[in-house]
Structures are given as C-alpha cells and as structure tokens.
Amino acid sequence: MPLESRHLLGLEGVPKKDIELILETAVGFREIIDRPIKKVPTLQGKTVVNLFFESSTRTRISFELAEKRLSADVLNFTASTSSLTKGETLKDTVRNIEAMKIDMVVMRHTAAGSPHYLTQLIDSYVINAGDGSHEHPTQALLDMYTIKEQMGKLDRLNVCIIGDISHSRVAMSNIFGLLTVGANVAVCGPATMIPRDLKKLGVTVFHNLDDAIQFSDVLNILRIQLERGAASNFPSLREYSRLYGISKEKLLRNKKDVLIMHPGPINRGVELASDIADGSSSVILQQVTNGVAVRMAVLYLIGTRN
Amino acid sequence: MKVLLQNAQIIDPQVKLNRTADILLEDGIITKIDESISIKADHVLDLKDKIISPGFADVHVHLREPGREDEETIETGSSAAAAGGFTGICCMPNTEPAIDSAEVVTFIKEKAKGLLVDVYPIGAVTKKREGKELAFLGEMAEAGVVGFSDDGVAVSTSHLLKYAFEYSSMFNLPIVEHCEDSSLTVDGVMNEGFNSTKFGLPPHPSLAEDLIALRDIAVLDYSGGRLHIAHISTKGAVEILRQAKKRGLKVTGEAAPHHFTLTDDAVQTYDTNTKVNPPLRSQEDVDAISEGLKDGTIDCIACDHAPHSIEEKEWEYIYSPFGMIGLETSVGLTLTKLYHTKILSLEDIVMKMSINPREIFNLAKAKIEVGENANLTILDANQNWTVDRFNLKSKSINTPFHGWELKGRAIGVINNKKLIINKQELNI
C-alpha cells in the first residue's frame, strides 16, 4: 500500500493511514539498525540529495545515515546561508542539481514553504527536513514512533509540548500528526511564545507548567531557539527556567511519572535539568536512534513508489 | 475628427446621468448628448449593452521609473492602465531616486506627455523617504504633485507627520499614509492569525495598521490638513476611518481589489504573488472592507499596482518582495466581487473609481457634459473573461489572478484625443 502523498512536505493533512504506514514500516528498519550488518539494498541505484540551506548537524547526519543504510547514493549540498545571499536563485540551484539525474531531495531551509516551492520546480520526490517555523515532519514522526514504542499507543494519550511554540516547526508537525492519530495535544509556554489562534487547531494551551505536567503522559520539551531571537520573548533565561524549566522537583510536586522527550540539542539547565535529561524517564537518545529508522521508512516508502 | 458613440448606458452621478443615449465627440470634446444622434462621423461605435462613465482614475500605482525600468516604465504602466480602463493614475514616490524633488516630478510629467493616460506623481513626505526630514513639499507642489506619501512605510514619527500635515495644508494636498507600525511587523510577511501559524510564516499583525491609522487621525485632528489612508486592509482601520469621518475630519481612504477579493488562505500555496503589504487578511477583514465600500466609509478603489520582475518573485516566500500588479484586473475584480454580488451599484463603482479619486487628489475633471473634454471609460459589465498574465500590457506579470474567470471588464478608454476600444487605438 503506497503513501497517498507523493512528497513529504509536512504532516498537516497527511491521512492517519499514511502516518500509521510510516510508523509500521519503521519497526522493520528499527530492527535492521540493531543488526551487525545494518545495510539493506532497498534504494540501490537511487540518488538522494541532501539540500541543506540552514545549518543542521543531527538531522543531516540522521538522513545521511538512513540513506546509506538503504544503499542509496548520497550527495550533500550544504550552504551556510540561503541561496539568496549567494546570488543564485533556489530555482537555479535545484534545477542544476536535478539535471544530474537524481531521484529524491531532502531539504532543510530557513524559509517556510521552500519545499513546497521546490515541488513546482523539479520532478524528484521532496522530503522536508525542516522549513523555517513551519514543519519538520520526520522529527514529529520519530517522536510519535518513540511515544508509541514506550507507551504502547498514541490514541488518547495526553502529550504536552513545552517551550517556544511560535518558532517551532517541531511543535507544528507534532501537533498535526498527534491530532491525526487521536492523541490529546497541549502546549505550554509563556504567552509570547504561543501563536495566536493555536486553540483553533484543537490544542489545549497552558501557561502554568504545573497544570501542564498534571495533564500529561508525555512531555515533549523544545529547545529555546536563541538564534531565532527567542530570548526577546521573555525577560531572562533565568526567569524562563524558573517558570518553564523541567526539574525533578516540579515533577515530584505534581506526582507525575511522565515520558520526557526533547528533539535536541538541549540547553541543559534552561529548559531541562540534567538529572531529568539523563534520567530513567528520558527517551531523548532513543528518539535519535528511532529517527534513523523512521527516516529510512520515509525514504523507502517515497523512493520506491513508481 | 468626429466620433459617435451610440446606444450606451451613460452613467455620471456628478450630473445625475443614467440613461441610454448617443454621445458625439468632436476633436476630443463632448459636443452632443442625445437619445439619437444622426450625423456622419469619422468613427461610429455601437455600444449597445455597454456603459460609458467618466474616466476611471487609480490613485495608487507604482510605475518603477526611474530606477527599475525592467519592471515597469511610465509608458508601459500607462498602457496597462489604459488596458484596464483608467484614464488617470497617480504614481507613488518609492522609485530610485525617490520622487522627492521638483526635478523628478518634472521628469515623470515629461515622460508621460502625449499619452492617453494622465500621470500624476505623488511626492515623498521626507527626503529619500528616509523619515528624517521633510522633502521639498512646496517645490514639488509647484511642479505638479497631487499628494505626498512615504508609501512603503508610514511617516516615521508623529513629529514629522504633524509638520507634514501643517506644511501640505498650504497647498491643499493630502498626505497619503501607508499605515504600518514597523515595530510590530519586523520580518512579517503575512497576516498574523491562524494561517500564519499553520504556514509557519512570520506574522504581520493587523494591529500595526490600526495603530498608525489611529495615530494619524489624532495628529490630523490636532494639526489640520488632509489625510488619505492608503490600501486599507483591516476591519479596525475601516472602523477608525468611519469614526473619524463622523467627527468631520478631512480624512479619506482607499481599498485595493485584492483586499476585498482574497483572504490569507491564498498564501497556502506559498505563491509569492500573494505576498503584498499590507498583507491579505482574514475573512472578517475582507467583509469589513466590502461593508466600508458599501456604506461610503471607503471612498475609492485603488489597486496598488506593484510590478516586480519574474526573477524577484521566484525567491522563497520570505525573501520575495511585496506586491502584485493590479491595473488590468482591478475593474474586473470590482465588477465580479462587488457589482455582481450586489454590494455596489454601477453608480457606486463610478463614484469610487472615477469621481471620488479625482476629487480627493484634484485630478483633471472627467464629466459627461457638453463642452467637457472626453475623458471616458467604456465598460462591458457582463463580459466573461479569463485573466491571462501572459497577455497583459504591464511589463511584469506578478498576479495571483492568472486563470481566474471574471465577469465584467473595461473595453475602452477615451482621453487626450485618443481612443482605445477592444485593444484598437485611434487618434481622435
């Protein structure tokens, strides 16, 4: 059964059966990456270009590893800035690359909508690896995979995303994906970091962390993106940490044993105390491992369709 | 030369005219209006089921000359205006160099000489539109500007705005304000709301427009002068204008067809042709614009024609410049969205696209009366047509309306002893 959508640009509007198919397919690949020989010939002869217009280490490595474990030929294009500052349009850049006969593009870009624009320019399949503050679908899928792996289900689970929702593509993809599979989704953070009208998506909004912890089975804690000007949204990191940082004391206060997730990299001591990040409830490293499997599933499902 | 226009519905609310009749033009002057005129003329046009109105004027157009002649020139912009049904256009000062001196005003007027469409420059409020000190408002008034604006940005400070109102009132010219509190719109590319959250694009809140509209009206109230609010896009600004008018202040306003036609849903495709400033707003705002046009709060329709090259519009959404062209779709959108939906009558549309803009900016009269210069727009209110961006007179093709089916369009214009009908041009 193929995916309904040709590309993976985001999780908004992606049907439940597609999400379930990706997560089920990832189970098989998760097994493969635990084997001594971690490579399968699934994408042999296919060429994948990782087109990164925004710096990224873990997402790029995760995709590259997933591609290589599927035996794809991999090209990495990394621009430290956008195509605009190089003087070449995105259109020219990608058309040139496609002219070298490629099959799939994995794209990270600072500008929301760039992967959508890319689909109008080229015939190759496009996977969004994060576009501005819009979506980061594979991160959300690996989060959902990890939740399901740990909790046994997604349906009717209470998941709260904490932190800078306004600047977060991870939050948006998680919200769309989790709502589609039937989870109850909440967000928590200062009012300056919660977009207007977010409730219209069917999301509960908390500004009090104790309330959020009491609601939750899962806390997905976002990084404060200082490089995106997030620090101007609250008076100080110290105050942010006091109000929204997850610590053992706050979890004990609410008598909650919750799953702790974080897409990384962590600002230790700001959004997450070290003992929690490294504690028994934390699945942060499992998320990283699962990320490779989920990306293999996405690449496989998209790359092998006719 | 004699031109006989037969059987048209003639609408001119200025002289309480709305009837089917013939019009005789001799050397560009209206010499006879009668139920049936029998005379041997050089050109006879049967305009049965068509409408003749005073020539339409668009008071918010970017011609890009001087500076970006690759995007539009005074000549190509005027051709687009004529094709769209306009006989007069006001061009905004955000050119390179800016229209901030008598020399640039004279340059534009010289370039526009002999064209069917009258081109009226609007001068900058501040030198180079930098918001630091007043531009040469007096010299520009003498050279023939019809208003002042730092369009693209709001007048930077209340202090400069107060001076601008006081100084411009000596020439009875309006300050045309782009209402945007830029401290609220840093990097913003689309209306703040549910859609900006979903699309992940930096938000530009309606509050930014409302705040400057409020500021300007407060300053106007204090200092006197005339204020014209450009491209109103928010429910708040419509209400602010409504209240200011009730108080008797000398304030007018315009709305663009894209702001009463599209909502920010259109940004969903990330088509950079939907990126405009002010941005496409919510349905609530769109409804308020229509209501403001209907109840007379908004005086005119002006398209904010903003040509950009293909290259510039092919950037990623956040990097692409703001603006869409509009001269050749303005009448079609207005008839489709306001007339055929019974929001405005044809008389209302003539008021908002010809009479009011001409009055606010003291443009050449367009009156359908014996003895007047023939300055006319000819409409076919029921013609169905499809917008084809590759078949436009404008040098740029940045419109999101490509492929749209519209009902009603301008089919001809007459002005300055020139006539264009169904794309055919004649000297008359």
Side-chain angles (χ1 to χ4, degrees):
Chain A
M1 187 174 61
L3 291 176
E4 196 168 283
S5 44
R6 176 179 154 85
H7 310 282
L8 182 66
L9 304 179
L11 291 191
E12 189 196 359
V14 172
K16 188 177 177 182
K17 66 175 184 55
D18 275 12
I19 293 175
E20 286 173 345
L21 177 61
I22 293 168
L23 299 185
E24 282 160 21
T25 307
V27 173
F29 288 116
R30 181 68 185 78
E31 256 176 61
I32 288 169
I33 59 179
D34 274 340
R35 291 181 194 166
I37 306 292
K38 299 173 174 63
K39 199 158 177 162
V40 289
T42 315
L43 290 185
Q44 203 161 38
K46 302 274 185 189
T47 306
V48 186
V49 178
N50 297 315
L51 202 56
F52 276 61
F53 288 98
E54 183 185 69
S55 58
S56 160
T57 305
R58 60 189 66 207
T59 302
R60 194 183 56 74
I61 289 173
S62 180
F63 265 110
E64 192 174 341
L65 203 54
E67 290 149 9
K68 286 181 170 166
R69 286 183 171 166
L70 292 169
S71 303
D73 295 318
V74 180
L75 288 172
N76 286 313
F77 178 96
T78 308
S80 56
T81 56
S82 87
S83 57
L84 177 74
T85 53
K86 289 176 67 199
E88 185 181 46
T89 63
L90 175 64
K91 180 179 172 180
D92 284 335
T93 305
V94 298
R95 281 192 167 169
N96 269 288
I97 290 171
E98 194 178 47
M100 299 176 202
K101 304 296 174 194
I102 57 157
D103 301 291
M104 262 192 285
V105 174
V106 175
M107 187 194 209
R108 159 72 63 96
H109 203 294
T110 47
S114 297
H116 303 69
Y117 178 46
L118 196 65
T119 62
Q120 295 164 28
L121 303 176
I122 60 175
D123 292 327
S124 304
Y125 301 124
V126 176
I127 297 170
N128 181 5
D131 61 329
S133 303
H134 183 220
E135 288 225 38
H136 192 357
T138 56
Q139 177 67 44
L141 288 164
L142 75 88
D143 289 345
M144 291 159 75
Y145 180 95
T146 308
I147 295 170
K148 196 173 177 191
E149 179 189 59
Q150 298 293 322
M151 310 293 278
K153 64 170 189 174
L154 289 162
D155 185 36
R156 291 193 297 274
L157 268 182
N158 292 345
V159 181
C160 185
I161 306 163
I162 296 176
D164 185 1
I165 311 300
S166 291
H167 290 97
S168 176
R169 51 194 170 215
V170 174
M172 291 313 294
S173 285
N174 262 286
I175 290 168
F176 291 130
L178 287 164
L179 289 173
T180 301
V181 297
N184 303 312
V185 184
V187 297
C188 178
T192 47
M193 290 180 141
I194 309 287
R196 285 163 68 84
D197 300 328
L198 194 71
K199 283 182 185 168
K200 284 189 190 169
L201 285 175
V203 170
T204 306
V205 175
F206 294 113
H207 297 302
N208 181 294
L209 184 61
D210 289 323
D211 294 342
I213 293 171
Q214 283 170 29
F215 161 88
S216 303
D217 301 310
V218 178
L219 294 179
N220 196 350
I221 301 141
L222 302 177
R223 185 170 65 90
I224 294 298
Q225 303 199 40
L226 298 168
E227 75 279 13
R228 293 190 188 194
S232 64
N233 292 30
F234 48 81
S236 71
L237 281 178
R238 187 179 59 80
E239 179 161 319
Y240 180 85
S241 183
R242 197 169 64 79
L243 293 178
Y244 296 103
I246 305 293
S247 64
K248 189 172 273 182
E249 181 257 325
K250 285 176 191 166
L251 292 177
L252 288 172
R253 185 165 77 202
N254 291 289
K255 298 185 178 61
K256 264 299 206 185
D257 182 20
V258 290
L259 196 68
I260 299 291
M261 304 178 72
H262 193 298
I266 305 166
N267 293 313
R268 284 181 182 257
V270 179
E271 65 256 6
L272 198 52
S274 271
D275 54 353
I276 299 294
D278 303 329
S280 58
S281 298
S282 167
V283 289
I284 294 169
L285 291 175
Q286 285 94 314
Q287 286 175 267
V288 177
T289 310
N290 292 339
V292 178
V294 166
R295 289 182 174 117
M296 287 172 78
V298 169
L299 288 158
Y300 161 71
L301 289 167
I302 290 179
T304 57
R305 66 189 308 160
N306 294 318
Chain B
M1 189 176 284
K2 291 179 184 173
V3 177
L4 183 57
L5 310 174
Q6 291 180 315
N7 306 315
Q9 182 187 356
I10 305 167
I11 300 177
D12 185 353
Q14 296 167 110
V15 289
K16 296 189 170 53
L17 195 59
N18 189 343
R19 66 171 176 133
T20 301
D22 294 353
I23 299 178
L24 180 65
L25 313 180
E26 292 181 67
D27 295 328
I29 308 284
I30 299 170
T31 54
K32 198 169 184 185
I33 304 170
D34 210 340
E35 204 151 304
S36 179
I37 300 172
S38 294
I39 196 166
K40 195 171 181 305
D42 299 285
H43 299 286
V44 179
L45 304 179
D46 183 3
L47 299 175
K48 190 170 182 307
D49 300 326
K50 310 293 186 290
I51 296 147
I52 296 179
S53 90
F56 284 4
D58 192 309
V59 297
H60 199 134
V61 171
H62 298 270
L63 292 179
R64 305 292 186 222
E65 186 178 9
R68 285 304 302 265
E69 290 82 356
D70 59 314
E71 295 181 330
E72 197 77 281
T73 64
I74 291 158
E75 192 178 346
T76 59
S78 299
S79 294
F86 297 97
T87 60
I89 50 175
C90 299
C91 58
M92 282 293 170
N94 39 352
T95 48
E96 192 57 50
I99 307 175
D100 65 353
S101 68
E103 287 77 13
V104 185
V105 175
T106 306
F107 165 82
I108 291 166
K109 289 178 81 78
E110 281 296 318
K111 283 264 180 180
K113 248 183 198 167
L115 300 175
L116 182 151
V117 175
D118 300 314
V119 177
Y120 302 97
I122 288 177
V125 174
T126 60
K127 287 174 189 162
K128 296 184 181 175
R129 295 174 49 254
E130 286 179 341
K132 292 177 184 163
E133 50 186 342
L134 285 184
F136 303 103
L137 306 189
E139 281 181 27
M140 285 194 285
E142 278 175 12
V145 295
V146 295
F148 301 105
S149 179
D150 272 356
D151 189 40
V153 292
V155 176
S156 59
T157 66
S158 308
H159 165 74
L160 270 172
L161 182 67
K162 174 174 170 285
Y163 273 9
F165 277 133
E166 289 170 349
Y167 206 82
S168 64
S169 64
M170 298 192 294
F171 319 108
N172 190 29
L173 294 177
I175 300 295
V176 183
E177 185 68 299
H178 171 117
C179 291
E180 179 185 346
D181 180 339
S182 57
S183 71
L184 281 165
T185 60
V186 184
D187 298 333
V189 296
M190 75 169 289
N191 184 45
E192 181 168 43
F194 184 55
N195 279 335
S196 65
T197 299
K198 275 209 301 181
F199 307 156
L201 289 168
H204 175 132
S206 55
L207 175 66
E209 181 166 329
D210 301 352
L211 276 179
I212 294 296
L214 277 170
R215 176 199 75 165
D216 282 24
I217 281 163
V219 178
L220 175 76
D221 196 8
Y222 183 84
S223 60
R226 287 171 56 201
L227 170 65
H228 179 76
I229 302 180
H231 40 47
I232 295 171
S233 72
T234 68
K235 183 183 176 184
V238 175
E239 187 53 30
I240 290 161
L241 177 60
R242 188 176 284 129
Q243 295 307 320
K245 283 187 161 183
K246 275 187 189 160
R247 288 163 56 202
L249 296 177
K250 286 183 183 171
V251 57
T252 51
E254 73 190 33
H258 50 268
H259 285 133
F260 59 71
T261 301
L262 295 171
T263 67
D264 58 10
D265 287 346
V267 182
Q268 185 157 24
T269 58
Y270 296 95
D271 174 3
T272 55
N273 292 317
T274 64
K275 183 177 171 183
V276 281
N277 187 6
L280 302 175
R281 303 283 190 189
S282 68
Q283 187 63 52
E284 202 181 11
D285 295 305
V286 169
D287 293 343
I289 301 284
S290 296
E291 185 54 37
L293 284 161
K294 189 183 172 101
D295 71 12
T297 300
I298 300 174
D299 304 88
C300 31
I301 294 167
C303 74
D304 193 7
H305 181 78
H308 286 292
S309 66
I310 293 171
E311 293 77 18
E312 283 187 314
K313 277 293 187 182
E314 282 187 343
W315 290 112
E316 296 87 325
Y317 200 90
I318 60 171
Y319 301 132
S320 172
F322 291 98
M324 64 171 77
I325 55 169
L327 281 168
E328 290 162 89
T329 50
S330 182
V331 169
L333 288 168
T334 302
L335 289 167
T336 305
K337 292 290 174 181
L338 300 178
Y339 170 63
H340 288 295
T341 55
K342 299 190 178 0
I343 292 169
L344 295 185
S345 66
L346 287 171
E347 285 89 347
D348 293 334
I349 289 171
V350 172
M351 289 300 293
K352 290 180 195 301
M353 299 194 83
S354 173
I355 296 165
N356 292 348
R358 288 181 181 280
E359 192 177 309
I360 294 164
F361 288 87
N362 308 320
L363 311 186
K365 273 194 300 184
K367 200 180 264 189
I368 306 182
E369 234 175 14
V370 171
E372 294 286 339
N373 285 322
N375 184 341
L376 306 169
T377 293
I378 304 167
L379 304 171
D380 183 340
N382 294 308
Q383 187 183 132
N384 293 303
W385 64 290
T386 305
V387 179
D388 180 355
R389 65 179 181 156
F390 301 111
N391 194 22
L392 299 176
K393 297 281 186 186
S394 174
K395 224 172 178 182
S396 294
I397 58 169
N398 52 308
T399 173
F401 298 114
H402 178 64
W404 275 47
E405 307 267 334
L406 300 180
K407 187 171 188 179
R409 70 189 307 182
I411 57 164
V413 279
I414 301 173
N415 190 31
N416 294 335
K417 295 188 183 178
K418 293 177 192 296
L419 182 156
I420 297 174
I421 183 88
N422 293 323
K423 295 183 181 171
Q424 195 190 349
E425 297 184 29
L426 298 170
N427 286 314
I428 58 168

